Amino acid sequence: MSTDFIALDWGTTSFRAYRVAVGGHVQDTISAPEGILSVKDGKFEAALERLIGAWDVSMPVMAAGMITSRQGWIELPYLPCPASAADLAGALHRHTTASGRRIAFATGLSYRASDGMPDVMRSEEVQVFGSLDLGVSHFVTPGTHSKWITTEGDQLVRYSTYVTGEVFAALKDHTILGRLMKPGPDDEEAFAMGVRAALEDPAGFLHRIFSARSLGLFDELAPEAISSYLSGQVIGTEVAHAIRDNPREAEYAVLASPGIGGRYVKAIEIAGLKVRYGDPQAIVKGLAIIARKAGII
């Protein structure tokens, strides 16, 4: 890197900005629950300046995430897989704001599986390109919509999306399964029990999850443990489906913070597979790689 820059991860519900020094060290971070859906009347430039206005306007900005979606600042077309960081660098959309900030927007990737169903993502591909030096070919990016991603060389070749986080939140907060739940710390034993049940019978998801209520009714699961148990059921079902076509000797890198990332690592371990943590800030490294290939830094 030859210059400082700002890495921007602007998603649906959250905003993260990183001030990155020459050499790649993150000097400062700004995080706010101000995703694209919270920006009124398309005033993204004003929102950006309110959040990072104290940072030097001369630093180039690399932006990724839902900020380039149909509901974002500017909609950019997806690049089809297979694709590399160099492909993203060649498709950057450059914009200069009224305040003089130079922003390069990175688009996302699309993939159409053998069953004909299209899939899309924005920002997870940047995390993966920032993690290729881990030496693995299979990546997991947990979240509201988690992704299971496969690479070959420097290309991202295929992936699948799972709405696991969103389904868990809906079941917990908007169905009778959550009525017996009480707040409490994560219960590793209950989570593992849910994962194992899912791995043994992934097709029975709609039947199995009712046990989150029935086990509570019969006092066989503490109210404080029900949430962890249901989380294990949902994540375990995702794991069972995601690994079905991958070789048993595959190793997975989980790109997430220790909280949700730890649950995925545990679930993958229960499935008997190799897994390791990746860098939860891999998107910074990925944006730096794309910026370098584009001659921005």
Side-chain angles (χ1 to χ4, degrees):
M1 290 174 56
S2 59
T3 184
D4 295 359
F5 82 103
I6 296 170
L8 196 64
D9 180 9
W10 206 339
T12 303
T13 59
S14 63
F15 171 97
R16 293 183 182 87
Y18 307 85
R19 185 163 57 87
V20 188
V22 172
H25 174 68
V26 175
Q27 293 183 316
D28 196 6
T29 302
I30 294 173
S31 181
E34 298 192 38
I36 62 168
L37 296 184
S38 70
V39 178
K40 303 300 183 184
D41 303 319
K43 296 181 178 179
F44 290 98
E45 183 172 335
L48 180 65
E49 287 305 316
R50 178 170 50 80
L51 290 162
I52 70 165
W55 291 354
D56 188 349
V57 73
S58 69
M59 289 190 293
V61 179
M62 292 292 300
M66 290 297 286
I67 193 62
T68 62
S69 70
R70 188 160 300 178
Q71 292 75 34
W73 193 335
I74 180 169
E75 183 181 8
L76 298 180
Y78 295 98
L79 292 182
C81 289
S84 67
D87 294 322
L88 284 181
L92 290 174
H93 176 85
R94 308 197 188 205
H95 173 75
T96 302
T97 68
S99 62
R101 286 196 191 275
R102 294 168 292 125
I103 305 176
F105 292 96
T107 191
L109 301 183
S110 64
Y111 173 69
R112 192 173 292 270
S114 58
D115 62 6
M117 295 296 290
D119 211 334
V120 295
M121 67 178 171
R122 293 187 188 273
S123 82
E124 293 90 353
E125 69 287 339
V126 181
Q127 290 179 269
V128 168
F129 291 136
S131 304
L132 293 180
D133 58 355
L134 291 176
V136 303
S137 299
H138 300 279
F139 299 86
V140 186
T141 59
T144 303
H145 297 163
S146 65
K147 312 282 184 180
W148 290 67
I149 300 164
T150 300
T151 61
E152 293 179 3
D154 66 348
Q155 291 188 316
L156 195 158
V157 295
R158 61 182 176 274
Y159 65 92
S160 297
T161 299
Y162 297 84
V163 295
T164 305
E166 195 166 12
V167 167
F168 172 73
L171 291 172
K172 178 176 178 288
D173 298 331
H174 300 289
T175 76
I176 200 168
L177 299 183
R179 294 299 177 88
L180 298 179
M181 292 181 184
K182 289 185 178 179
D186 287 349
D187 189 310
E188 291 189 10
E189 184 177 344
F191 176 77
M193 184 170 67
V195 171
R196 292 190 182 96
L199 293 172
E200 290 171 4
D201 180 26
F205 177 73
L206 294 177
H207 165 65
R208 283 186 290 97
I209 58 174
F210 188 68
S211 61
R213 176 167 176 79
S214 59
L215 288 171
L217 289 172
F218 283 82
D219 297 323
E220 295 176 34
L221 196 62
E224 296 82 6
I226 296 175
S227 177
S228 293
Y229 173 73
L230 182 61
S231 175
Q233 288 267 13
V234 178
I235 293 175
T237 302
E238 174 187 335
V239 171
H241 186 272
I243 66 176
R244 71 197 190 289
D245 295 328
N246 290 340
R248 292 295 299 180
E249 66 272 15
E251 183 175 6
Y252 299 83
V254 175
L255 309 179
S257 59
I260 185 64
R263 289 195 171 196
Y264 274 77
V265 167
K266 182 66 175 179
I268 295 169
E269 287 177 338
I270 292 172
L273 302 171
K274 298 178 185 177
V275 61
R276 68 168 86 169
Y277 281 110
D279 183 353
Q281 291 187 351
I283 194 167
V284 175
K285 187 175 179 181
L287 285 172
I289 290 170
I290 294 167
R292 192 177 302 115
K293 290 182 180 296
I296 294 174
I297 60 174

